[in-house]
Each structure stands twice: as C-alpha cells, then as structure tokens.
C-alpha cells in the first residue's frame, strides 16, 4: 500500500465549481444494489412508482403502435424520455409489466450487439441509444433494421430512445416512426412527486429563492431529485413548513458543492478533514463507529491525532458540530444539511485523487469490522462504489469483490459492488467482461465464482440473458463441485424460465459432448408435448451425438427416467443401430425384473412395452433399409 504524509494538510483549491451546477454527477439508483432484480430488467413496482409520478410530456403518443410495433422516441436529456418510454411500453404502468425488458446495444462476445434471438414473441423491449455516440449509432444501422424486422415478425414491441441529433444516423425504417416529445411542465412534475409522498403544495407556489428557475430549466430528473430532497427535509424536521422544506431542497440541489468546498478549505488540521471524509461515507452509523473509523483512516493515511490527549483541546462533539454533524440527542452520524454527505464525498473524490488507493483499503477493512452493523457496512459499500464509478477505473471494485468474497468472508458486500457496476450504464460492459473472464478460470476463486453466478442470474440475465447463460455455461466447468453444481442449476433454470431451449441446443451442437454438456442435455426436462418440431429435431441430433458409441454413457436410472418421459426421443437417438437398440432392450428387461412392488412393476412393464414397440418399429425400418 502506498503511504502518504498528511496529504489532507496540503489542499490548494483550483478550478473549483462554485456555481449552480452539480459538482458530483453520479446518482443513486432507485433500488438498492443488493436487491435482486426480477426476471425482467426493471421491477413492476418500480414501473408503477414511475407511473404515479408521471406527467405526460408534449408530443406523448396516445396510440403509439397503431402503425408499427416499433417507434423511436426522440427527446432531449431534460425531457425524461426514458420514463416516457416505460410508460409507452406499459400503458402508463397498467399492463405488460411482466413482459418488459431493456436490451443493450453492446456485446462483449463474438456476436451481434443486437441479437435477434433474444427477441421473444409478444414481449416488449426498450433500446436506449442516448448514451451511444454518433459513430456507434451509425455503425448499428444494419443491425437496427434487422432487429426491427425480427421484432415485427415475432409480434414483439420495440421502443428506441435517441437524442434529436442522433436521428440522422438511424435507418430510414426507424426514422419513419419517430415521435418527438418535449419537456413536461416542471411545476407539475414537482407537485406530483411531492403529492405521492404526502406533501401537498398550495395552488400558488411558496416564494423560495431560485425555485422558479429550477422548475423552468432543470431536467425532469433534477426536479425529481429536488422533490426527494424536500421529502428528506420533511422527515428530518417535520415541524417546519413546506416553504422551509423547499428552501432546504433548493439549497441541497444548488449549494452543497460550494458548501463542501468551504468545509474542506482553510487551515484546519488534517484530522478535521479526515472526520469529514469518514462521516461522509458513514451516514446512519453509530457515533462509536465513526470514532473507530476515523482512527482507522488516520492510520491508513498517516494523519497524526488532532490533539495530544482525548481530554485536551476540542472534543468530539465540537469537532462534529464544526463538520455540520448533528450532536445534541443524536447517536448516529447525521449531517445537519440535506445531501451534504453526497457533496462531501464528491468533493473529496474529485480533489484528493492521490488518496483513492488508501480509501480502497480503508473501505475494505472498515466494512468487515465488528464495529459496523450489516446495514452500515452495506451503506459504506454502496457509497464507495458510487464514488469509484464516478471516476473509474473499475479494477478497485473488482478487487474489493474478490477480497470480500474470499478473505473477508462477506460475499453480500461483494455482491453489492458488483451489482452497482453491472447496473451502471457506463461501466456495465466492463463488469460483464470481468464476469466473463472469471468464468473461464475454472480452477480459481471459488468464493468469487459463487458471487458471480448470482450476478449472472440477478443482474446480467434481465438485460442480456444469452450473455448470462454463456457465463453460467463456463462456470459449470469449475473444478469446485459446489460452484459447478450452482452454475449448472442456474443455467438450466434460466433456460427453462425464459424460453431459451433452442439457444442452448444450438450452443451445445457446437461443443464437445463431454460430461458437463452431457449433464446439461440430460437436465433439460422437456416432455414431447412441450417442444416444437425444431426443438425436438435438435434434441434428437444431440442425443445421437451422445449415443455415439453406447447408450451406457447415460447412467441407467437417468436413462430409464427419460424412457418414461420421451421414449420416442431415446429410440430415435439410436439411429437404427441394432447394438444400441439392444442395450435399451436389456435395460428395460432388467428394470422390470428388479421391481418387486406390484404397482411399480406394473408401471415398469407398461414403460418397457412402449419401448419394445418403438424398438420393433426402429428394427423394422433398419431391416427394410437393408442394414444388419
């Protein structure tokens, strides 16, 4: 670890943002990073929450899919276009919530970025290209056109989101179905968000400095953030008025960056800045935890104590008050100003970059300390992931996940930081790539592998199911039996739940029929009346490969179960070869002979009789074809 000598003592501000803009732009997701997502990308509850606060923007389509099952929503970053797209796809949160999925325009495999095989009949898809550069959108022209055609053929519904200046890069077929939407009324947005939280605004808005400007010019997302700050101000000081809460919200939205800079400025001792840093990462933690964590930070970055003795000079309460932390009657870390902790983290992360390496180690050790509750440790992991993702690189979070999963024995923390990266639009692809590379390491990091298997099912599969299945297929080859078994089960569950049997059969057809693939093939519990012609044909081809030399590659009990489920498949897989058909006959004869219970013997005889009839038919075909 690189050590530093009182780096917090030597802060010289330069190029500091003291205006009204955001200094720290990373924002929290609307769901906790450790909360597994459902089968689809966004939970139905989240869609309904958005629907409750949705204000119809200018240009919003009343009958969006009258002409085409695909539309292109065009809007600026201020318009809340993504939420509008969710509302279009779900009839304002009232329908299709369980068939909604967000697709990605990028892949880290050797395949097409937009995979038409992932489009299923009747599903609803969102493709957001707003964060893709013009070159990227232009490069996707042919894929987008093919994707649109397949979606139409399958009866799928597709909404594509672009900025106005990206439209010229779209294929003509998509440009023809563009729908331009505008920014909804800011006051209506604020009113609705607050009403959902039980705060009713009067007909005439309170006179709060700069509020009118925010409502006129801010994006929908920033106005929603303003509402969240007002709600938090209400929760902290419920005895105050709506005007007070709005005043605090505007200050949180516009002033916290400058306030954080001021708290870090001046000639104060490094220990006081260390208190600011520790507190900013530990809101809600007990005061005792803050004291211990601050001391650990001192040791980590080589800061000498602020005072020679605990009873000398300024004591903890005075130092906390100077840092704008609540003192009287408060036993947990809580700032007096809404959103100040976020601004302090952002300021520290931006202007003390040489301390980031030490902060990784500090977070790693503090999070697993007995001084922290599970909830406080989770909050620390979330906040550090937010900070790290705001600047990059991703490697520190990968290393934290590996360490927490292995040495730290805290896999739940490893899952949190991995989930944060996989949900971040800028970093998701790199995190998926990390999971892919780890899935290829079949003899390493079993503890991390178990975490990443969870990430495949919970975080990757909702957006990119085929990428999740590729990774699970590789993890199924892990030398740790428990890891391999978990990956095998997760793969089969995902394939069957999301209807990717054909995809899996196609993949198996390109692979060697080794023990791993044999187990996967046998685990596909599909009755003959559950599969279509193509699926059954592909199954038969793979079973023929499996029976290349003998039917005895399958354990007798498992093969007998398959004969009960689909005897026609098993017999057809023998491809008329007499030796293999004879092996099936011997297996059935032995199973009948060994059954003692009358009921089970009767069932065995019925199964064997059906098998015998199919064997006779196959043998007859062989003889008719002149084969011996």
């Amino acid at each position: 670890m690189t050590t530093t000598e009182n780096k917090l003592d030597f802060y010289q501000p330069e190029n500091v943002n003291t205006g009204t803009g955001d200094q720290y732009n990373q924002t929290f997701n609307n769901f906790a990073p450790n909360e597994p997502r459902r089968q689809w990308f966004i939970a139905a509850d989240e869609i309904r929450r958005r629907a409750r606060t949705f204000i119809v923007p200018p240009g919003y389509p009343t009958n969006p899919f009258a002409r085409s099952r695909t539309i292109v929503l065009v809007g600026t970053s201020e318009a809340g276009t993504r939420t509008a797209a969710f509302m279009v796809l779900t009839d304002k949160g009232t329908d299709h919530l369980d068939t909604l999925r967000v697709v990605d325009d990028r892949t880290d495999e050797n395949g097409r970025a937009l995979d038409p095989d992932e489009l299923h009949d009747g599903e609803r898809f969102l493709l957001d290209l707003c964060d893709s550069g013009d070159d990227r959108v232009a490069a996707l022209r042919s894929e987008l056109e093919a994707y649109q055609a397949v979606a139409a053929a399958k009866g799928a519904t597709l909404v594509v989101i672009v900025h106005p200046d990206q439209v010229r890069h779209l294929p003509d077929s998509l440009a023809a179905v563009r729908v331009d939407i505008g920014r909804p009324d800011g006051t209506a947005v604020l009113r609705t968000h607050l009403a959902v939280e039980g705060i009713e605004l009067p007909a005439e808005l309170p006179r709060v400095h700069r509020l009118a400007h925010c409502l006129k010019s801010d994006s929908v997302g920033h106005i929603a953030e303003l509402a969240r700050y007002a709600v938090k101000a209400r929760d902290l000081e419920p005895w105050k008025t709506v005007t007070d809460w709005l005043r605090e919200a505007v200050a949180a939205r516009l002033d916290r960056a400058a306030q954080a800079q001021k708290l870090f400025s001046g000639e104060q001792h490094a220990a006081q800045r260390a208190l600011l840093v520790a507190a900013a990462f530990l809101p809600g933690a007990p005061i005792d935890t803050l004291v211990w964590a601050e001391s650990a930070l001192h040791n980590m970055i080589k800061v000498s104590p602020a005072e020679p003795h605990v009873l000398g000079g300024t004591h903890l309460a005075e130092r906390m008050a100077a840092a704008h932390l609540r003192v009287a009657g408060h036993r947990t870390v809580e700032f007096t100003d809404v959103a100040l902790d976020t601004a302090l983290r952002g300021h520290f992360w931006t202007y003390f970059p040489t301390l980031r390496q030490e902060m990784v180690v500090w977070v790693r050790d503090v999070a697993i300390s007995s001084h922290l509750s599970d909830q406080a440790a989770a909050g620390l992991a979330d906040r550090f992931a937010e900070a790290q993702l705001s600047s990059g690189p991703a490697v520190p979070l990968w290393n934290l996940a590996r360490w927490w999963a292995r040495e730290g024995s805290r896999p739940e923390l490893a899952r949190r930081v991995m989930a944060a990266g996989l949900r971040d639009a800028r970093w998701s692809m790199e995190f998926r790539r990390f999971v892919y590379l780890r899935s290829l390491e079949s003899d390493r990091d079993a503890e991390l592998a178990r975490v990443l298997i969870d990430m495949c099912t919970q975080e990757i599969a909702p957006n990119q199911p085929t990428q999740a299945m590729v990774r699970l297929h590789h993890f199924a080859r892990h030398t740790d039996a428990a890891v391999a078994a978990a990956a095998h089960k997760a793969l089969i569950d995902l394939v069957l739940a999301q209807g990717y049997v054909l995809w899996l059969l196609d993949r198996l057809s390109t692979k060697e029929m080794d023990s791993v693939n044999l187990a996967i093939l046998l685990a596909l519990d599909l009755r003959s009346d559950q599969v279509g012609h193509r699926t059954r044909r592909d199954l038969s081809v793979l079973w023929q490969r499996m029976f290349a030399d003998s039917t005895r590659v399958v354990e007798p009990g498992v093969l007998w179960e398959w004969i009960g489920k689909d005897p026609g498949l098993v017999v057809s897989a023998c491809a008329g070869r007499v030796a293999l058909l004879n092996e099936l006959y011997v297996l059935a004869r032995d199973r009948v002979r060994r059954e003692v219970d009358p009921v089970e013997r009767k069932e065995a005889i019925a199964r064997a009789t059906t098998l015998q009839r199919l064997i006779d038919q196959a043998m007859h075909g062989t003889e008719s074809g002149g084969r011996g």
Side-chain angles (χ1 to χ4, degrees), residues 117-379:
D117 288 339
E118 291 192 353
L119 293 170
H120 285 179
D121 295 347
E123 289 180 358
R124 300 200 158 205
F125 296 88
L126 173 64
L127 173 61
D128 189 346
L129 297 178
C130 291
D131 291 328
S132 302
D134 289 358
D135 292 343
R136 178 63 183 163
V137 177
L140 287 171
R141 284 179 66 96
S142 60
E143 289 192 45
L144 282 167
E145 203 155 24
Y147 204 66
Q148 180 189 9
V150 174
K154 292 187 174 183
T157 302
L158 175 65
V159 172
V160 182
I161 307 176
V162 296
H163 290 310
D165 57 359
Q166 293 175 313
V167 175
R168 67 182 187 275
H169 299 295
L170 295 174
D172 293 342
S173 60
L174 281 177
V177 292
R178 66 179 287 179
V179 176
D180 293 87
I181 64 171
R183 177 184 178 275
D185 179 71
T187 301
V189 172
L190 179 66
R191 225 179 254 286
T192 303
H193 276 79
L194 290 178
V196 168
E197 299 294 338
I199 300 177
E200 297 293 336
L201 291 181
E204 184 177 348
L205 283 183
R207 294 184 177 275
V208 174
H209 180 52
R210 298 174 297 177
L211 175 61
H213 175 77
C214 290
L215 298 180
K216 183 178 180 180
S217 60
D218 275 3
S219 68
V220 172
H222 279 151
I223 295 174
E225 182 182 50
L226 190 70
R228 288 195 295 272
Y229 289 151
V231 171
K232 188 169 184 180
R234 185 272 312 270
D235 294 343
L236 290 173
E237 298 176 317
W239 58 87
K240 290 191 174 182
T241 67
V242 172
T243 301
D244 294 327
W245 301 332
L246 288 174
R247 187 177 292 113
E248 179 69 10
V250 171
R253 170 78 182 87
L254 301 178
D255 297 338
R256 293 299 178 249
Q259 186 179 359
Q261 177 204 336
K262 186 175 180 180
L263 283 174
F264 270 104
S265 299
E267 299 295 330
Q268 76 259 43
H269 193 277
Q272 183 63 14
R273 290 183 178 138
L275 177 64
L276 286 171
V277 174
F281 279 94
L282 292 169
I287 298 299
D288 288 352
T289 298
L290 175 63
V291 173
W292 176 85
E294 182 195 14
S295 177
L297 184 58
H298 289 174
N299 295 332
M300 191 67 61
I301 61 177
K302 308 301 181 185
V303 172
S304 59
E307 303 293 344
H309 191 277
V310 69
L311 292 177
T314 56
H315 70 296
L316 179 61
E318 293 175 291
R319 295 174 59 229
M320 288 177 63
H324 286 226
L325 288 164
R326 297 181 186 273
V327 179
H330 291 267
R331 295 184 179 275
T332 58
V333 178
E334 187 179 303
F335 284 92
T336 57
D337 305 296
V338 173
L340 182 55
D341 60 314
T342 302
L344 286 169
R345 290 194 301 274
H347 191 88
F348 168 74
W349 202 257
T350 301
Y351 297 105
F352 295 92
T354 55
L355 291 178
R356 292 175 188 169
Q357 182 176 347
E358 282 80 357
M359 286 300 295
V360 175
V361 182
W362 179 76
V363 170
R364 183 196 72 184
D365 293 343
V366 169
I368 66 169
S369 165
S370 59
H371 294 270
L372 250 66
S373 66
D374 290 345
Q375 182 178 2

Side-chain angles (χ1 to χ4, degrees), residues 15 30 62 76 94 109 163 169 182 261 343 354 398 410 472 576 624:
N15 300 325
N30 288 322
T62 56
T76 64
T94 62
E109 310 296 334
H163 290 310
H169 299 295
Q261 177 204 336
T354 55
W398 298 341
R410 295 294 296 273
L472 291 172
S624 299

